[in-house]
Structures are given as C-alpha cells and as structure tokens.
Amino acid sequence: MTETKILVTGGAGYIGSHTCLALAAKGYVPVVYDNFSSGHREFVKWGPAEEGDIRDRARLREVLAQHKPAAVLHFAGLIEVGQSFKEPEAFYDINVGGSLALLQAMMEADIRAFVFSSTCATYGTPTYMPLDESHPQAPINPYGRTKHIVEQALRDFDLCDRMRSVMLRYFNAAGADAEGRIGEWHTPETHAVPLLIEAALGRRAGFSIFGDDYETRDGTCIRDYVHVTDLADAHVRAVEYLLNGGETVAINLGTGTGTSVQELISAVETVSGRPLPVTRAERRAGDPPLLVASNETARTILGWEPEHEIDDIIRSAWTWHSRFNGYS
Ligand code: UDP
C-alpha cells in the first residue's frame, strides 16, 4: 500500500508542525512546504521539507507534481493583527495572493481537497456569544479581512465544483506537544501564554495586563484557549472528512470555555510555583472583551472533542519553554 501524502504549507510553523506530528501518527506523510521566513527547520521532523514561497506558482506546481498529495493543509501566511495595520500590502500579497496561487496550482494538478487556516477574527466585533459559524463576518482588521476574502473565494470554487474545503476558524491556539519536541516559537512573541511562561522563567521582566476594567468577571479579557494538540487533531479529522467526500464547510475550533487574563496568570503561577511580576497597562486597541466559541459544528461534523483544559495547556507550554530557549 502506498502512503498517502498531505501537503502542509507553513508546516514548519506552530500549528502546522503540530499537525504534521498528528498526521504522521495516523500514518500519513506530511510534506512541508515552507519558505522558513518564520517557520523553523528544527520543526520539520515527520516528513520531507520542500522550500518555497507560497506566491511562487512554478515552485508549487513542481512540488505538487512531485509528491501528488491527496489534500493540502494551508497554514502559511501572516498572522499578527498589529502587523496587519502596519503592512496591509504584505497581508494581501501573502495571505490572499499566496492562497490564490496555491489554489490555482492545486486545481491545475487536479487536487481538490483543501483545509484552510482561518480565524475567529473573520467575525469582527461579536454581537452574541458564544460565537457560532453563522455569526455575521465583518472583520475589523486587515488580518481578519484577508482570511475572510480567501473564505469567500473558497465558497466560489466550491460553487463551481473546483475545490472542496474545510475552513477552520481558530480561537486562541496555545500549549505545545506534551513531549516537548515542538512548541510555540514566534519572533517577536506577542501571545499571552508564551509571554507569561517566559516571565515565570525569568526570561522577561514581567507581564503586562492589557486592561483590567472590562465588563467581565474579573475585569480582564476572556478568550477561548484551545490546545494546539487538539487543533492538530481537528486538522487530521478535516482531511479525512474531505477524503471521504465531505462538503465545503466552515468550522470553529474552540473549547466553548473562556479563561480571563487574570485566570491565565493564576494558572501559570500554580504550574510554575512562582509568583509573577504583573503590571497593569492600557487596553490594547481592537481587543473585544469576550471571545468564546460554540464548537457544536466541530463535534457534529468532525466528531472533534477537545481533550485538554487550560491547565494542560499551561503545563505543556511550561515543559516546552523550560527546555527550549530559542529566543535568547
Ligand atoms: N494580553 C495581555 N498582555 C499581553 C498579551 C496579551 O494582557 O502581553 C491579553 C490580550 O489583551 C488578550 C489576551 O491576553 O485579551 C490574549 O491575547 P493574545 O495576543 O494571546 O491573543 P488574541 O486574543 O489577541 O488573539
């Protein structure tokens, strides 16, 4: 029996590499396509790496022809909201242009199963909670809008029988492989969980809470943190759903449970056994007070059940960051 290959763009990045690990555990061969601008060569451990830019159609054609993947998981792209206000052109070029280049190369190669890394940022300011997939999509930053544009293109490609897709709308990815082989490694780091862990490890002076006067249970923002290993599992399920003939669908990936920044801090203090130097800072622009997913669709369509809670997330992140100090 020949092995089934799955192309993973951005497979050297955070969620991409954890998904490669999960694919390999299920017997697939993940082929990483990455330009290593923010991905890490050290994270490519479960299949071959093909270096290339997501906008490079010729290189994409070559890699697709060589490996003949059954499906493509598309993680490659720019992810930081703040950067998207400073460099919107780059977000359109890479997130929109890159996705279209990839989709065109796939259609030419007659590969018609696509799993897309989308985001809860496509919803914009929530009008009700928890957020389900039929909540109106009205992004409030260029990052969210570029992801929403690709989702709309995917609807059209579906309408015209060109491509079937699963659009996975992530809430807050966090944590790391329990064995500490890979983990979260962004430069610069802006995410709450790794910043807290690094502060607890003494690698940062402390942690600033961006606003403690929100109308939430303790005044700090509430987010739905989902373990990266659970996210990876959802991606494998999405691939299998498409390979079994599943229709185009958008799916939230969250736990349905919210954790406040203050609760995160307490969890990190408990796991590390160290008090954290915390300061209070101004609210960060564009931060909604409360973002929590309804994950009914993921349960129904993918049979996905998140297995990890916030303490597992913190413990696994602690394991990874204790071993790894790539920042310094
Ligand atoms: N946050 C914070 N201090 C930091 C970084 C983040 O208080 O140094 C808060 C942020 O305002 C948000 C939550 O932590 O409410 C999660 O932020 P993150 O950047 O990790 O993810 P986002 O929700 O923006 O995707």
Side-chain angles (χ1 to χ4, degrees):
M1 202 182 85
T2 55
E3 288 168 312
T4 305
K5 290 183 174 179
I6 307 293
L7 190 77
V8 185
T9 78
Y14 174 45
I15 307 174
S17 61
H18 285 82
T19 299
C20 288
L21 167 55
L23 284 167
K26 283 279 176 86
Y28 298 98
V29 178
V31 178
V32 170
Y33 185 87
D34 206 299
N35 67 359
F36 298 103
S37 62
S38 56
H40 312 291
R41 288 180 199 278
E42 300 90 321
F43 283 10
V44 184
K45 297 174 190 275
W46 294 280
E50 297 289 355
E51 187 161 352
D53 193 282
I54 200 62
R55 296 159 293 185
D56 186 344
R57 271 165 223 243
R59 179 72 182 128
L60 285 164
R61 275 190 206 111
E62 191 176 87
V63 170
L64 291 174
Q66 185 191 337
H67 291 285
K68 301 187 174 41
V72 174
L73 287 153
H74 180 37
F75 295 93
L78 300 178
I79 59 161
E80 221 202 291
V81 172
Q83 188 196 357
S84 81
F85 283 106
K86 292 184 192 128
E87 300 172 53
E89 311 83 352
F91 277 69
Y92 276 83
D93 187 26
I94 296 168
N95 290 6
V96 179
S99 297
L100 293 176
L102 171 62
L103 285 159
Q104 192 177 46
M106 282 176 66
M107 292 186 267
E108 285 169 12
D110 203 23
I111 300 164
R112 301 187 186 273
F114 189 72
V115 180
F116 180 54
S117 293
S118 191
T119 167
C120 63
T122 59
Y123 295 119
T125 308
T127 54
Y128 62 86
M129 204 61 61
L131 280 159
D132 59 25
E133 292 83 356
S134 28
H135 186 285
Q137 288 179 290
I140 54 167
N141 52 60
Y143 164 64
R145 198 178 310 280
T146 57
K147 292 286 182 176
H148 186 216
I149 288 169
V150 175
E151 282 201 9
Q152 290 171 296
L154 292 172
R155 294 282 180 196
D156 280 334
F157 293 144
D158 175 68
L159 199 65
C160 306
D161 283 332
R162 297 292 195 281
M163 186 69 65
R164 284 175 304 115
S165 316
V166 178
M167 302 165 233
L168 296 174
R169 297 181 186 151
Y170 309 150
F171 282 67
N172 288 59
D177 165 46
E179 292 181 34
R181 292 168 285 187
I182 47 178
E184 195 162 6
W185 176 9
H186 295 118
T187 312
E189 189 52 77
T190 62
H191 295 101
V193 172
L195 290 177
L196 279 164
I197 304 272
E198 289 183 286
L201 285 166
R203 293 181 195 153
R204 289 181 190 264
F207 179 83
S208 295
I209 300 177
F210 296 154
D212 64 353
D213 55 356
Y214 285 97
E215 283 194 17
T216 57
R217 52 185 175 253
D218 60 20
T220 64
C221 282
I222 294 175
R223 294 286 179 275
D224 187 337
Y225 296 90
V226 50
H227 198 299
V228 69
T229 299
D230 283 328
L231 282 184
D233 171 48
H235 286 79
V236 178
R237 288 169 186 269
V239 166
E240 291 180 337
Y241 164 83
L242 288 173
L243 295 183
N244 289 326
E247 293 173 359
T248 293
V249 64
I251 301 179
N252 283 343
L253 293 180
T255 64
T257 302
T259 304
S260 73
V261 176
Q262 190 57 58
E263 288 160 356
L264 267 190
I265 294 169
S266 304
V268 172
E269 287 181 331
T270 305
V271 168
S272 66
R274 303 171 193 185
L276 270 175
V278 170
T279 52
R280 269 136 191 85
E282 290 297 302
R283 290 182 177 194
R284 188 172 64 178
D287 259 347
L290 176 65
L291 281 178
V292 177
S294 155
N295 60 16
E296 273 309 305
T297 309
R299 285 172 200 271
T300 311
I301 294 196
L302 302 180
W304 181 71
E305 193 78 44
E307 285 180 6
H308 301 284
E309 294 181 353
I310 196 70
D311 288 350
D312 292 333
I313 290 177
I314 302 296
R315 266 193 297 273
S316 65
W318 177 259
T319 303
W320 159 250
H321 287 282
S322 305
R323 282 192 198 171
F324 175 78
N325 193 8
Y327 308 96
S328 57

